[in-house]
Amino acid sequence: MIAVLGLLVGAAVGLLLEPTVPSVLQPYLPIAVVAALDALFGGLRALLDGTFNDRVFLVSFLSNVVVAALIVFLGDQLGVGTQLSTAVVVVLGIRIFSNAAAIRRHLFRA
Amino acid sequence: MTPGEGRREGAGHAWYGPVRAGGTHAAPAVDASMSLLNEVMYRPVDTAYAEAAERPRVERSRAARVRRATVHLVLAAALGALTVSAISALRTPPPEAVSGRALLREQIEERSAAVSALQEETGALSAEIADLQEDAVAAENPELFAQLTRTELVSGAVAVQGPGLEVVLDDTAGGDTRTDPLSRVQALDLQVLVNGLWSAGAEAIAINGERLTALSAIRGAGQAVLVDLAPVLPPYRVEAVGDVRALQTGLARSGAQSHLMSIAGTYDIDVTVRAVPELLLPGAGSSRLRFADLPDDAPLVPDGTSTAADVEQSAPPDGGTP
């Protein structure tokens, strides 16, 4: 639960301070945000499953964001940046959808 | 391997199936080649959660728990701040684009202001020149002055006032929703109309306040219509000073009238022609001196060798001495 609390605090701080992201990192932001969403939904599902774990949540969040950005960076270097971005978005999108479906089943029993 | 064997074998492998106990959404194991899709579809949650739950709990000291919680808190706060700042950075347009636009706009406004200031100055200087000319010429040579005034009037150098016709071509009726550039008023339409008005006996013509002279050009550049290189915007107001009745009949007989009728019918362009008792057309500004001649009895330059022919020859080829 401490992780969720920290996430909220960090979000509030980010909203208040509005730090500027260096332009070098700009191309990786969209994928990183999608990856963060995936980690959030996974964490929420685990929470409803009763298996939530701060450490796992944080590690999956961090690794999701880093790996997603790394894949886009690698794709850019190899000249297949857009295709790799699409692949990442498709996979993460499917995961988000099925996690959201599981969450829905938990909440509404439907 | 027969399909039946494959199915049995697949059902035996637990790594395919749902991760949750008593799985409400069991994956039908069809084929080994589907394992990737099954993996993605039915095990979206990180298996790490399940593994961590299965791991036996480690008893830690109080200090270790606090340290762990602190690390978690700091890391989570950093991730939250990162995510939110990433989202806000994505929502706001990149600063370079904004500042570039602002810079361009600033430059455009600056130059426009400079142009209008220069135009004002030109107007004031022209008026001063006209006054000085009047003073100098009118007293000495009234005949020449009368000729000058008449020439200025006809050439469009000075503003004129009088009755005339006003023709308005409007392609913005019914909202500015036209996408087909052909359905807009073209430079050609204005050319035909202006030529019709000239041939009907117009003495002076202006389009949206741009006075036409013998050297004026009406041109199309992309979708814009340029009159003497200045863009004019719809509705196009063509004003012609002259004998109203002669203008009306002349225009009706000319080919311009049928052209206007056809564009009004085909492209739904509003064409209104009306007589105006009093029109005021601006002058086209100062005219360039293109040809100069010494009068026969004019005193020559001090050394007395220069002649009128020399003066003409020494003028630059374009005669562009203002």
Side-chain angles (χ1 to χ4, degrees):
Chain A
M1 279 306 96
I2 280 187
V4 177
L5 199 72
L7 211 59
L8 289 178
V9 169
V13 167
L15 276 179
L16 282 178
L17 296 184
E18 290 185 1
T20 47
V21 180
S23 56
V24 186
L25 294 178
Q26 292 276 0
Y28 313 115
L29 292 184
I31 295 288
V33 169
V34 174
L37 268 184
D38 175 54
L40 273 179
F41 273 93
L44 191 55
R45 183 181 174 181
L47 192 67
L48 293 171
D49 281 345
T51 55
F52 185 79
N53 184 309
D54 279 343
R55 193 165 157 274
V56 175
F57 176 67
L58 286 178
V59 169
S60 75
F61 200 111
L62 195 63
S63 68
N64 257 9
V65 170
V66 170
V67 168
L70 207 65
I71 286 178
V72 176
F73 170 75
L74 207 64
D76 276 344
Q77 298 304 310
L78 296 174
V80 288
T82 45
Q83 289 92 327
L84 263 185
S85 302
T86 311
V88 170
V89 167
V90 166
V91 170
L92 291 181
I94 290 176
R95 281 168 54 109
I96 290 174
F97 252 97
S98 9
N99 276 335
I103 292 166
R104 187 202 65 213
R105 277 194 292 270
H106 263 292
L107 291 181
F108 302 112
R109 316 238 166 266
Chain B
M1 181 204 295
T2 65
E5 277 169 1
R7 192 169 298 128
R8 266 200 307 281
E9 195 184 359
H13 278 277
W15 53 267
Y16 255 98
V19 85
R20 275 178 57 211
T24 51
H25 44 277
V30 177
D31 193 330
S33 65
M34 298 287 282
S35 65
L36 176 65
L37 281 178
N38 280 330
E39 186 84 356
V40 172
M41 286 296 289
Y42 294 102
R43 302 185 67 176
V45 76
D46 279 311
T47 47
Y49 283 117
E51 284 165 15
E54 282 167 12
R55 225 177 289 141
R57 286 186 69 87
V58 186
E59 287 304 321
R60 292 189 186 83
S61 67
R62 190 179 159 74
R65 278 211 304 277
V66 167
R67 207 166 48 238
R68 242 176 116 81
T70 316
V71 170
H72 284 173
L73 195 66
V74 169
L75 196 58
L79 282 174
L82 185 118
T83 309
V84 166
S85 51
I87 290 170
S88 58
L90 287 172
R91 281 171 56 84
T92 49
E96 304 94 54
V98 173
S99 63
R101 262 176 90 103
L103 194 67
L104 275 181
R105 175 178 292 182
E106 206 173 281
Q107 280 180 353
I108 289 171
E109 279 167 2
E110 206 173 285
R111 300 292 164 86
S112 302
V115 165
S116 42
L118 284 175
Q119 271 171 348
E120 242 167 64
E121 201 185 326
T122 313
L125 287 176
S126 301
E128 200 183 327
I129 291 172
D131 279 351
L132 290 174
Q133 241 171 8
E134 196 176 330
D135 285 351
V137 182
E140 276 186 31
N141 198 339
E143 197 186 321
L144 186 64
F145 181 68
Q147 192 192 345
L148 181 69
T149 321
R150 216 165 37 244
T151 316
E152 275 183 338
L153 200 66
V154 174
S155 68
V158 293
V160 293
Q161 196 174 6
L165 272 191
E166 186 192 59
V167 185
V168 178
L169 303 185
D170 192 359
D171 57 10
T172 56
D176 200 3
T177 54
R178 297 176 189 223
T179 48
D180 183 11
L182 272 182
S183 69
R184 295 190 162 276
V185 172
Q186 308 285 310
L188 178 74
D189 305 333
L190 290 174
Q191 286 169 5
V192 169
L193 172 61
V194 166
N195 285 341
L197 286 170
W198 283 132
S199 69
E203 290 161 28
I205 300 180
I207 300 178
N208 282 12
E210 285 284 335
R211 179 75 175 275
L212 300 181
T213 68
L215 299 169
S216 294
I218 303 171
R219 292 175 37 221
Q223 294 192 13
V225 176
L226 305 180
V227 176
D228 273 350
L229 296 181
V232 289
L233 297 172
Y236 302 98
R237 210 177 59 255
V238 181
E239 294 160 310
V241 168
D243 181 2
V244 174
R245 187 161 295 177
L247 279 176
Q248 275 172 333
T249 51
L251 186 66
R253 280 187 196 143
S254 70
Q257 181 73 18
S258 57
H259 184 83
L260 290 183
M261 301 266 281
S262 83
I263 63 168
T266 315
Y267 299 116
D268 194 27
I269 289 168
D270 278 353
V271 179
T272 41
V273 182
R274 66 188 186 98
V276 180
E278 196 67 31
L279 282 173
L280 178 62
L281 307 190
S286 60
S287 47
R288 282 183 178 179
L289 184 63
R290 286 174 186 272
F291 179 77
D293 199 358
L294 276 180
D296 294 336
D297 55 348
L300 298 176
V301 274
D303 65 5
T305 53
S306 179
T307 63
D310 287 338
V311 171
E312 268 178 50
Q313 274 168 6
S314 63
D318 65 348
T321 345

